[in-house]
Amino acid sequence: MQQKIRLANGYTFNRVINGCWQLSAEHNLQGKTDVDDALQGFHELVEHGFTTFDCADIYTGVEEIIGRFVNELKATGHYQEEDIQVHTKFVPDKSMLSKVDRKYVERIIDRSLQRMHREAIDLVQFHWWDFNVAGMMDTAFELARLQKKGKIRNIGMCNMDTERLKQMVDAGINVVSNQAQYSLFDRRPERSLLKYSAAHNIYTFAYGTLAGGFLSEKYLGKEYDRPETRSQVKYMQIIEDSLGWDGLQKLLPLLKEIAATHQVSIANVVTQYILNQPGVGAVMIGIRSSRHVADNLRTLEFELSADEMQAIREFIAQYPTPAGECYELERTSPRYQGIILTDLDH
């Protein structure tokens, strides 16, 4: 499978992107992450050609970790800015949406640049918590202004539904990507978002594809106990509204059988299944430890057959998927909103 995609403007990114939310202070519910070990994993990934990293301004401490990694690369004496691709997000606090202005936008972008020791941000992905609060389009135009100023190389969206993505495109914002939650459980992007995005050369960057680790050998034949991370709190809701735990226990053996055929992991199979969907440009795979590197590398080293793709598709089609468009429940449902941290500006 193709490892990288090149945009018309020459920008290149990996199809498996190194996701860094797992390194944030908010993520781990059972102790601190070993940052030194994670950085070792970063170096190993880059050595194997996995050079694209995803973070966010609201992931506590993560942009600083990326900055530390950049300094380590610079210390080798051979570092060039283009050696790695760094994607972050611009996520104004929900309580601040009505106050976002030109000064606010540039201050946050400058802060991200300083934290990560970069000359420009390769991709800024814009998220807006509440579509009922005015200012979203004005803010998007401010990001476009900073792109012209040279502080941002590419603009993407994050958690935008089809209607708002179309609004951006119609307004002339040059959107290259939209990050959306997409997995065997959460198939909301298939309703309209994937089709619209593909028709307008906007790559979907899928996150939540492994459902916080629930789609792995670890949970074969297991009863649900308790979440280990904030991710699992979030994705357990998605499981409950789709296959349920019983459905997951029926799905995992099917995925394991396919994985065994290729001598890979369930995570590899699931990731490649989503990568094979029309319009999907990349999948975010979390990297918390150097132990994850070898498994991540195998994702692109085999090919799922048409029959295997069909078997997975037919199985999940028996079950519902959460209601609405991309991220709609997270914006409107008190149950979903209850676990989302919307005010984390630091």
Side-chain angles (χ1 to χ4, degrees):
M1 175 176 278
Q2 180 185 5
Q3 186 183 30
K4 296 189 177 185
I5 286 178
R6 180 180 294 274
L7 300 180
N9 64 7
Y11 181 66
T12 302
F13 60 85
N14 285 98
R15 298 209 67 199
V16 174
I17 292 176
N18 309 316
C20 299
W21 183 46
Q22 287 85 345
L23 299 175
S24 70
E26 296 83 19
H27 182 267
N28 196 340
L29 301 179
Q30 298 183 1
K32 294 184 178 180
T33 300
D34 186 340
V35 174
D36 290 337
D37 183 56
L39 286 172
Q40 179 183 332
F42 283 9
H43 285 285
E44 292 175 14
L45 286 162
V46 168
E47 288 172 5
H48 287 89
F50 289 80
T51 57
T52 309
F53 294 81
D54 177 82
C55 63
D57 55 358
I58 62 167
Y59 297 171
T60 303
V62 175
E63 287 187 333
E64 289 88 346
I65 293 172
I66 294 290
R68 179 176 161 188
F69 178 55
V70 168
N71 282 342
E72 289 182 4
L73 292 174
K74 288 179 179 179
T76 67
H78 304 290
Y79 170 79
Q80 300 292 326
E81 179 103 352
E82 62 270 19
D83 289 345
I84 62 171
Q85 302 79 50
V86 179
H87 301 174
T88 194
K89 301 177 188 72
F90 175 78
V91 187
D93 280 356
K94 190 173 183 178
S95 62
M96 284 293 297
L97 293 184
S98 63
K99 302 175 184 177
V100 174
D101 57 15
R102 173 170 292 189
K103 184 177 179 180
Y104 178 98
V105 175
E106 189 154 15
R107 176 176 68 83
I108 298 302
I109 295 302
D110 284 343
R111 185 184 65 182
S112 292
L113 288 168
Q114 291 164 7
R115 285 174 171 176
M116 299 188 293
H117 308 299
R118 300 282 282 181
E119 297 174 8
I121 300 172
D122 292 309
L123 176 69
V124 171
Q125 300 160 105
F126 175 37
H127 173 84
W128 193 258
W129 289 111
D130 188 346
F131 294 146
N132 294 316
V133 177
M136 181 181 74
M137 292 308 303
D138 289 338
T139 303
F141 286 123
E142 289 303 326
L143 292 173
R145 183 182 68 85
L146 294 178
Q147 184 179 27
K148 291 180 181 178
K149 201 171 179 179
K151 295 187 178 185
I152 297 170
R153 294 193 172 101
N154 296 282
I155 293 175
M157 298 294 143
C158 182
N159 297 319
M160 293 291 176
D161 61 17
T162 309
E163 178 183 347
R164 275 71 186 193
L165 192 58
K166 182 177 185 301
Q167 189 175 347
M168 294 289 172
V169 172
D170 291 348
I173 303 295
N174 186 19
V175 181
V176 302
S177 64
N178 182 37
Q179 193 168 140
Q181 188 168 289
Y182 187 25
S183 69
L184 302 185
F185 306 122
D186 188 351
R187 304 187 300 281
R188 287 177 289 178
E190 295 177 2
R191 292 195 169 107
S192 64
L193 186 63
L194 291 180
K195 183 177 180 180
Y196 177 84
S197 300
H200 291 82
N201 299 314
I202 298 170
Y203 285 104
T204 297
F205 287 177
Y207 71 89
T209 299
L210 303 182
F214 283 127
L215 284 167
S216 69
E217 286 80 359
K218 180 178 179 178
Y219 291 95
L220 268 167
K222 297 290 180 64
E223 294 291 331
Y224 179 63
D225 182 15
R226 61 190 175 93
E228 297 178 1
T229 64
R230 184 168 292 278
S231 288
Q232 291 193 342
V233 177
K234 172 185 176 70
Y235 296 120
M236 192 60 201
Q237 289 184 337
I238 299 294
I239 292 173
E240 290 169 350
D241 288 350
S242 56
L243 275 68
W245 195 260
D246 288 344
L248 170 62
Q249 291 306 312
K250 295 175 183 176
L251 171 63
L252 287 174
L254 168 63
L255 298 175
K256 180 62 177 175
E257 181 180 352
I258 295 172
T261 300
H262 298 281
Q263 297 184 311
V264 296
S265 70
I266 288 175
N268 298 144
V269 170
V270 170
T271 302
Q272 193 176 123
Y273 177 87
I274 295 297
L275 282 171
N276 283 339
Q277 303 307 311
V280 174
V283 169
M284 252 64 59
I285 300 296
I287 179 72
R288 276 187 292 163
S289 165
S290 61
R291 299 191 308 274
H292 299 153
V293 173
D295 188 63
N296 288 2
L297 298 178
R298 286 193 290 268
T299 295
L300 305 179
E301 295 176 350
F302 72 104
E303 296 282 348
L304 287 173
S305 70
D307 287 345
E308 289 166 339
M309 289 287 295
Q310 185 64 20
I312 297 171
R313 188 176 298 113
E314 288 180 353
F315 181 90
I316 60 177
Q318 302 173 71
Y319 296 88
T321 200
E325 265 262 24
C326 168
Y327 214 73
E328 182 175 337
L329 288 170
E330 289 81 355
R331 285 192 168 89
T332 61
S333 165
R335 172 169 163 259
Y336 274 72
Q337 288 178 333
I339 63 169
I340 298 174
L341 302 175
T342 60
D343 289 276
L344 279 172
D345 190 17
H346 304 293

